[in-house]
Amino acid sequence: MRILHTGDWHLGRSLEGRSRLAEQEQFIDELVQLAKDQQADLILMAGDVYDSVNPPAAAEQLFYEAAARLSEGGRQLVAVAGNHDQPERVASVTPLVQRRGITLVGLPSAEPVQVQAARTGETAIIAALPYPSESRLNELLAIGGEEDELRRAYSERVGSLMRRMGSHFSPQTVNLAMSHIYVLGGLEEDSERPIQVGGAYTVDPSALSTGACYTALGHLHRPQAVKGDGIIRYSGSPLAYSFSEAGQAKSVTLIEASPGGVPVVEELFLSCGRPLVRWKARGGLEEVYRWLDEERDPSAFIDLEVHLTEAMGLSDIQRLRKSREGIVHIRPVYPEMAALELEAARTSLPLPELFRKFYQRQTGGAEPDDSLVQLFLELVDEEEAPVTEVTE
């Protein structure tokens, strides 16, 4: 049986008001072609179909079209709801699609999914667990509220559900597991909306010891393996959704598995989507204009940091915006700002106090008013925050 593992599509997501729908359509086209070329029997979609619980109509239409195309020719598609998804919305069309080889799992259940590959005749049993929040599990996991207690209770509950589904595994079936969770040891990116509070909603890899030959995970956007029993892997997102993912190669995972055998795993790299890049112009605006004249990163979205000795005028900002529509952020950096941040890092003084000292030096002793200090702090927070529209 040949299986494609994907996840974290985030259909409907934008980048600072810039639609990514056309890129997401390109991804679906590429995924469908990969499914055909690789003779895939089963596609596992490990959650975050959408980017919000109330996605735009165009995003829902794209998912339905994708599901129909991926299930052509007898292929099976199994998708679980992620933390971004409204579980009932994901599963609501089940009566219309279940006879087409499409299985949509919205809420956690103790029952596994069973599908048969038309090409090989093999049966797969999938311990498929959608994002298991306390509300979706419909239970309070820890009364005391202590982080360690909640983490243990959460891992134990996830492990209990996975093991119960895994009890249906058989030596005659291809035994798989899938969930949308944050497993301890995984590397996060800024574009991943947290599904844990202070680390409480994290899962120990031991909770995934179900006997599955492959465990397909969603939530983390960087493709990566997780240490644990068997093969446990995040497929990653198909597109870069934040500048923290700049330079990452995006992919889906191909698994070839047979009953009782050791799976063969291969990473299939994607070509769709616009790259996200960071430009650091230490040579000022002249360096930026030279890069633009050289048509550097012509199709990319750009996070621009430009080092200046004089204030950037509105005309400069407008010229940059007109020169390249892909410039998303323009962050001027001045020597005084860099020195202030360095001083903050080297001293124990809080940043507001350091800014007051800096302002007094620059103005001959004048005291900044509270609104100016607050504005400075907001600018610092904005620069350090994840470069996405998500602020949770």
Side-chain angles (χ1 to χ4, degrees), residues 8-226:
D8 294 278
W9 293 359
H10 292 277
L11 301 181
R13 188 161 190 157
S14 60
L15 178 66
E16 298 295 324
R18 293 162 173 82
S19 174
R20 310 296 300 277
L21 190 63
E23 298 169 82
Q24 292 170 337
E25 291 172 350
Q26 293 171 6
F27 160 66
I28 296 302
D29 289 342
E30 189 168 357
L31 181 63
V32 170
Q33 191 60 50
L34 281 172
K36 293 177 180 177
D37 294 344
Q38 298 296 330
Q39 293 184 297
D41 303 296
L42 170 63
I43 291 90
L44 298 178
M45 199 291 168
D48 280 353
V49 174
Y50 303 115
D51 191 56
S52 70
V53 296
N54 188 27
E60 288 192 288
Q61 181 177 346
L62 181 56
F63 175 59
Y64 299 149
E65 291 175 352
R69 295 171 65 190
L70 288 169
S71 60
E72 290 176 351
R75 283 190 300 270
Q76 301 285 321
L77 169 65
V78 179
V80 296
N83 60 298
H84 282 234
D85 300 314
Q86 210 284 339
E88 289 84 4
R89 180 186 292 273
V90 170
S92 63
V93 295
T94 293
L96 299 177
V97 301
Q98 59 187 356
R99 293 186 180 181
R100 290 195 54 137
I102 301 171
T103 304
L104 306 174
V105 187
L107 290 168
S109 167
E111 296 300 316
V113 174
Q114 181 172 312
V115 299
Q116 187 171 40
R119 183 180 63 88
T120 67
E122 294 169 316
T123 297
I125 295 179
I126 309 159
L129 180 65
Y131 167 55
S133 66
E134 286 186 297
S135 61
R136 297 186 190 187
L137 290 170
N138 197 28
E139 58 185 287
L140 183 65
L141 295 173
I143 298 176
E146 294 294 330
E147 181 178 316
D148 289 343
E149 180 186 355
L150 181 54
R151 182 187 295 116
R152 285 193 298 270
Y154 187 70
S155 275
E156 289 171 2
R157 188 68 180 105
V158 169
S160 174
L161 285 168
M162 297 298 281
R163 287 189 297 273
R164 184 168 175 180
M165 287 187 282
S167 67
H168 295 266
F169 290 162
S170 162
Q172 288 75 44
T173 56
V174 176
N175 302 319
L176 306 166
M178 174 168 61
S179 190
H180 192 91
I181 50 178
Y182 177 40
V183 178
L184 288 172
L187 299 176
E188 295 179 86
E189 304 297 341
D190 289 342
S191 58
E192 293 137 11
R193 184 176 302 169
I195 59 175
Q196 73 280 356
V197 178
Y201 288 98
T202 57
V203 177
D204 190 276
S206 62
L208 302 178
S209 298
T210 61
C213 68
Y214 182 87
T215 299
L217 296 179
H219 177 58
L220 300 187
H221 288 188
R222 180 192 297 269
Q224 59 192 285
V226 177

Side-chain angles (χ1 to χ4, degrees), residues 274-280 291-292 294-303 324-327:
R274 296 176 64 171
L276 272 60
V277 300
R278 281 175 163 155
W279 285 5
K280 291 189 176 183
W291 290 344
L292 291 170
E294 294 170 353
E295 296 188 355
R296 178 179 179 179
D297 301 317
S299 65
F301 288 119
I302 300 166
D303 174 52
R324 182 75 65 81
E325 61 84 21
I327 296 178

